[in-house]
Structure formats: C-alpha cells, structure tokens
Amino acid sequence: MPLILFNKKYRNGIAKALPRSLVMSLFYAIFFICMFEALNSTTALNTGTLYTLVPFITAIFSWFIFNERISTKMLFVYLLGIAGTCWVIFGGDIHALLALSLNSGDALFMAGCISMVCFSISMKLLYRGDEMLVSVFCTLLGGAFWML
C-alpha cells in the first residue's frame, strides 16, 4: 500500500482501475466466502477434488464467451491434470476416489468454484493495461471491502 500511495504514477491509476477491480474482487471474495462456509459441512478432501475442475471449467467458459477453441491436445492435458491431481489427493487409492460422496457443502463450494472461474473471465474482460501493482492493489482492496 505505501508503494502505491507514495508514488504519484501509481496513485493516479487507482481511480481508473478501482471500479473494474471491484467487480473482479467480488468474484474472488464470493469464492472464499463459499469455501469457508462449505468447509462447515464438507471435507478438505472433497473441496480439493472439486477445485481440480476449475481450469477445465474456465476453458469451457472461455469457449463460450471468447470463442476460444479447446484443441484435442488441450483437452487431454486438462483431463490428465484432473486425473493426476485426484491421484495425489487420494494417495493413489482408487477405492477412496470411488467412495467420494458429495453433500450440500460441496454444492456450495462448487458455486464458489464457478465464481473463481468468473474471476478469471472478468480479468480478461476488464483488464485495460493498468499498472499491474495498481491492479493487484485495487483487487485486494476490493476483496477486503467485499469480505467486510
């Protein structure tokens, strides 16, 4: 914060970046709120497993919003990443993976994951070449506001 506020170049960029950063940070804050609330009724194992889907869902949303195609190679990489991460999360135990049972907390966390996807999409839609330090500062400031 001092680096931003004591540098005139950065300070002048706040007014331009803050409105867009408030939108982006709302999605990020929703993710954390959903995660913290979901962990009251689900497990870290379930949330870790569901979070592995975020990159793939982001790719699907990007396909619809930006018309970005998912090549066969990219699809393979996404699926391999999901499988590899699940392998690590479940310690290579296929029976533990098959025994995964979802509950209402998982639905809430999945809503948070969709919000994280929206954060990524909004970054691409709303970024206007602002100084990266200013953009990060405004996003953190907005996140603190929404969490409050």
Side-chain angles (χ1 to χ4, degrees):
M1 186 166 85
L3 179 65
I4 303 296
L5 297 180
F6 292 130
N7 186 315
K8 185 178 180 182
K9 174 183 156 187
Y10 293 148
R11 191 174 54 243
N12 290 339
I14 292 173
K16 188 177 110 178
L18 189 59
R20 288 178 274 111
S21 295
L22 281 171
V23 174
M24 291 186 288
S25 64
L26 176 62
F27 292 120
Y28 209 60
I30 289 171
F31 167 75
F32 279 105
I33 290 167
C34 287
M35 179 184 67
F36 293 137
E37 193 58 37
L39 285 171
N40 286 323
S41 59
T42 192
T43 65
L45 183 71
N46 285 20
T47 57
T49 304
L50 292 173
Y51 193 74
T52 64
L53 299 173
V54 170
F56 183 61
I57 296 170
T58 303
I60 292 171
F61 273 51
S62 294
W63 180 46
F64 285 110
I65 295 170
F66 303 116
N67 203 26
E68 291 183 11
R69 299 286 175 211
I70 303 172
S71 68
T72 305
K73 182 179 177 181
M74 285 174 55
L75 179 62
F76 176 74
V77 169
Y78 282 124
L79 296 177
L80 184 64
I82 290 168
T85 305
C86 286
W87 183 264
V88 171
I89 289 171
F90 289 97
D93 185 359
I94 192 73
H95 299 294
L97 175 62
L98 295 174
L100 177 71
S101 107
L102 301 177
N103 57 51
S104 62
D106 296 321
L108 182 59
F109 184 70
M110 196 63 206
C113 288
I114 297 297
S115 185
M116 180 58 82
V117 168
C118 292
F119 170 73
S120 299
I121 298 294
S122 70
M123 282 178 48
K124 186 166 183 170
L125 286 171
L126 299 174
Y127 181 69
R128 300 285 185 271
D130 304 307
E131 289 285 340
M132 195 52 61
L133 284 174
V134 174
S135 184
V136 169
F137 171 74
C138 290
T139 302
L140 290 173
L141 188 65
F145 169 76
W146 295 120
M147 294 293 274
L148 179 68

